[in-house]
Amino acid sequence: MDRELLIEAVKRQMPEKRYRHVAGVVDTAFVLAQRFGGDPEKAWLAALLHDYAKAWPTDRMERIIRTEGLPSELLDYDKELWHAHVGAWAVREELGIEDEEVLDAVRYHTSGRENMTLLDRIVCLADYMEPSRAFPGVERIRELSEHHLNEALVAGLDSTIAHLLEKGRTIFPLTVLARNDLLRQIRSANGASEAQGG
Ligand code: DGI
Ligand code: FE
Ligand code: FE
């Protein structure tokens, strides 16, 4: 499917305001991919598709999770998490997207996961910091993203976790695993540069 058709297909799934967010994530992911050595084409595509199912009715997402073999534990957690997994399923079904790296980046854009690929990290971070995002701490995330992909992403996950704690909500295990894993990676990268005298 060519780019224009994909854009039209995405626009049909959501109100105009949500599409403006998606367009912001597309631009931001493209810049991050160039900055951190990612594949700009895949970043473009994964960002365009990341919120494909965001505006779908909850009952439709729930039915798909139940009938299409998506992780049923999602149903025990916040509905806000569902659109990522349902979106990955939907863009394969409806748009014929077969690239597993792109599908994973869509699937894990909300929670993150352990061993996030470069593409996962780019899309997840772009989602946090695209220009229309405004929440306490977003400026710090943008600053960190100038040089430090993992640090910026941890700051994003921290802000989500803090928000969930504040609201007394449950935390999806993958979000915690993603944060711990990124912290370990940051630590071992710092340790390595210290060992080199850096
Ligand atoms: O779809 P977006 O609004 O662009 O952003 P997103 O896909 O990151 O969704 C964020 C929402 O998900 C936000 O309201 C927090 C909510 N959420 C609920 N439970 C969890 C969670 N996010 C994470 N990362 N982990 C959770 O356990
Ligand atoms: Fe999302
Ligand atoms: Fe988003």
Side-chain angles (χ1 to χ4, degrees):
M1 211 185 271
D2 79 18
R3 278 178 171 231
E4 287 310 315
L5 285 175
L6 283 170
I7 291 169
E8 288 312 313
V10 170
K11 282 183 175 169
R12 279 198 295 276
Q13 311 305 316
M14 58 190 71
E16 212 178 305
K17 179 160 187 283
R18 173 56 52 173
Y19 184 74
R20 282 201 293 276
H21 157 71
V22 168
V25 177
V26 166
D27 293 343
T28 306
F30 193 82
V31 170
L32 291 174
Q34 289 176 321
R35 186 175 299 159
F36 294 108
D39 180 333
E41 287 296 319
K42 289 195 188 204
W44 181 89
L45 183 59
L48 178 71
L49 301 176
H50 87 281
D51 273 343
Y52 189 82
K54 179 78 180 184
W56 286 17
T58 304
D59 58 348
R60 183 176 179 192
M61 290 196 282
E62 180 173 346
R63 184 161 27 87
I64 290 167
I65 292 169
R66 290 189 194 283
T67 60
E68 301 297 332
L70 274 51
S72 57
E73 65 158 352
L74 284 169
L75 300 170
D76 300 330
Y77 291 93
D78 210 313
K79 296 175 183 57
E80 292 289 330
L81 293 156
W82 299 357
H83 73 283
H85 288 256
V86 172
W89 174 87
V91 301
R92 186 203 284 275
E93 267 329 278
E94 298 188 354
L95 308 179
I97 305 295
E98 299 282 352
D99 185 326
E100 295 294 340
E101 239 187 297
V102 170
L103 294 173
D104 277 343
V106 174
R107 188 175 294 123
Y108 297 107
H109 84 267
T110 303
S111 59
R113 58 170 168 165
E114 269 186 308
N115 296 314
M116 290 177 81
T117 66
L118 181 56
L119 190 65
D120 291 351
R121 286 179 280 159
I122 286 168
V123 173
C124 191
L125 178 56
D127 195 17
Y128 276 118
M129 58 172 265
E130 61 92 5
S132 73
R133 286 288 203 212
F135 57 86
V138 71
E139 278 310 325
R140 174 78 183 137
I141 297 171
R142 291 188 179 119
E143 277 166 32
L144 286 167
S145 77
E146 293 290 328
H147 301 284
H148 306 289
L149 177 62
N150 289 343
E151 281 87 339
L153 192 49
V154 167
L157 291 168
D158 282 358
S159 75
T160 297
I161 291 168
H163 173 80
L164 293 169
L165 292 175
E166 170 80 19
K167 299 278 172 200
R169 306 230 301 258
T170 55
I171 300 171
F172 192 55
L174 282 186
T175 304
V176 177
L177 290 172
R179 175 178 183 273
N180 289 347
D181 185 55
L182 288 164
L183 281 179
R184 276 185 219 112
Q185 289 189 35
I186 291 167
R187 229 168 267 151
S188 70
N190 290 345
S193 65
E194 275 158 30
Q196 289 160 18

